[in-house]
Amino acid sequence: MTPAHIEKEQKAGTRGKVRDAATIFDENAALLICSNTAWANDLRAHRWRETLLDQRQAWGRSVEVFLFGHALMEKLVKPYKAITAHTWVVPAEAEFFALTPEQQRAWIDTAVAYQLKKGVQTGDFTPLPVLGVPGWQEGQDESFYADTQVFRPPRHKA
């Protein structure tokens, strides 16, 4: 989003899709760093059990989540199971997961800045109940992920 986008919206008295997406990113984004885009496809398809339970050993090795949105982090001060992030997918090579935390943050800054220069739309995000990320909550068993109030099935398009 550029100052020209904001000025155009202000003159028109509207708020556009780019600005909405930028707000989502700022407020509620989590970054899904993955060496295989199948992770993102599985999350978009709401394959919660398969992605978060069955493949839990891969978390931290070929996929990881980094929180970004400040409102998302504020919610996690007093966590509850249904906190859901708008997840932004950042593809990475497998070598990313061997970097030090400082190197990972620098890499993420560069990669996300590059992606954002291309633009952002609300459809770029996919939901992720953050306490479902392996190791982020106790009791993550079959029944934990079977809770359809949190781990909702995909919407069927009419």
Side-chain angles (χ1 to χ4, degrees):
M1 166 162 267
T2 66
H5 281 104
I6 296 171
E7 184 178 11
K8 183 179 176 184
E9 289 177 359
Q10 287 174 336
K11 285 181 180 176
T14 63
R15 189 178 161 98
K17 291 181 180 185
V18 172
R19 194 166 176 189
D20 286 345
T23 299
I24 288 170
F25 192 91
D26 174 53
E27 296 279 336
N28 202 51
L31 307 172
L32 181 79
I33 315 298
C34 54
S35 61
N36 183 340
T37 55
W39 288 101
N41 296 335
D42 287 346
L43 288 177
R44 287 187 199 287
H46 295 206
R47 294 185 195 109
W48 309 118
R49 189 181 144 284
E50 296 89 338
T51 308
L52 302 171
L53 181 62
D54 295 350
Q55 298 183 53
R56 69 184 315 112
Q57 72 285 351
W59 286 82
R61 294 187 178 128
S62 62
V63 63
E64 190 61 79
V65 170
F66 291 81
L67 302 181
F68 182 85
H70 65 89
L72 174 63
M73 288 187 256
E74 288 172 14
K75 290 178 200 172
L76 288 165
V77 170
K78 293 185 179 179
Y80 53 94
K81 189 176 177 182
I83 296 172
T84 301
H86 286 80
T87 307
W88 177 274
V89 178
V90 184
E93 297 297 324
E95 294 78 19
F96 169 85
F97 299 94
L99 298 174
T100 66
E102 294 80 17
Q103 291 170 324
Q104 286 181 340
R105 285 191 295 275
W107 184 92
I108 290 168
D109 286 348
T110 301
V112 171
Y114 176 77
Q115 284 183 318
L116 290 174
K117 283 181 185 175
K118 292 183 189 179
V120 59
Q121 299 177 25
T122 56
D124 294 336
F125 299 97
T126 189
L128 174 64
V130 294
L131 293 184
V133 173
W136 286 24
Q137 176 72 31
E138 290 183 25
Q140 293 175 321
D141 58 13
E142 188 80 35
S143 64
F144 181 86
Y145 295 104
D147 180 352
T148 58
Q149 292 298 313
V150 175
F151 300 97
R152 296 179 181 191
R155 292 182 189 165
H156 295 291
K157 295 182 181 181

